[in-house]
Amino acid sequence: MEFKHINKGKNGIVLALEDDVQYGEITYVSQGDNQIVIDHTGVESFARGKGIAKALVSELVTIARTENWKVVPLCPFAKAEFDKNASYVDVLA
């Protein structure tokens, strides 16, 4: 699985790709210079149950650490992942 981060200014998306086929995505909206809000996590129906959404949250956390962003997990799936994973507390807004 490969991840592709596309920053569109105020909005951004991370795609989960394999052989140029999109398996899932996680989207965010910037709030100021160092805070993002995760507003959507989605996985294609053919790829569900493979841990892709969880991997997308993890990838976005890695990006947030690199960029020194704080994260507001508004999306219910992302919020649940942040609640389960104590190692994400350093990026939690």
Side-chain angles (χ1 to χ4, degrees), residues 4-14 28-30 33 36 63 67 69:
K4 182 177 182 181
H5 179 215
I6 303 167
N7 189 330
K8 301 177 181 179
K10 188 172 170 90
N11 300 312
I13 186 169
V14 177
Y28 65 87
V29 177
S30 297
D33 291 336
I36 64 167
I63 293 166
E67 298 293 333
W69 292 340

Side-chain angles (χ1 to χ4, degrees), residues 26 41 53-62 77-78 81-82 88:
I26 188 167
T41 306
K54 186 175 184 173
L56 282 162
V57 172
S58 178
E59 180 67 15
L60 192 51
V61 167
T62 299
F77 181 85
E81 285 301 304
F82 269 77
Y88 294 167

Side-chain angles (χ1 to χ4, degrees), residues 25-61:
E25 66 185 22
I26 188 167
T27 62
Y28 65 87
V29 177
S30 297
Q31 288 191 329
D33 291 336
N34 69 338
Q35 184 168 294
I36 64 167
V37 176
I38 299 174
D39 58 359
H40 168 74
T41 306
V43 174
E44 300 297 331
S45 58
F46 67 85
R48 292 195 178 133
K50 297 180 180 180
I52 294 169
K54 186 175 184 173
L56 282 162
V57 172
S58 178
E59 180 67 15
L60 192 51
V61 167

Side-chain angles (χ1 to χ4, degrees), residues 62-80:
T62 299
I63 293 166
R65 287 180 177 137
T66 300
E67 298 293 333
N68 294 314
W69 292 340
K70 292 296 182 181
V71 178
V72 176
L74 183 62
C75 160
F77 181 85
K79 171 79 169 100

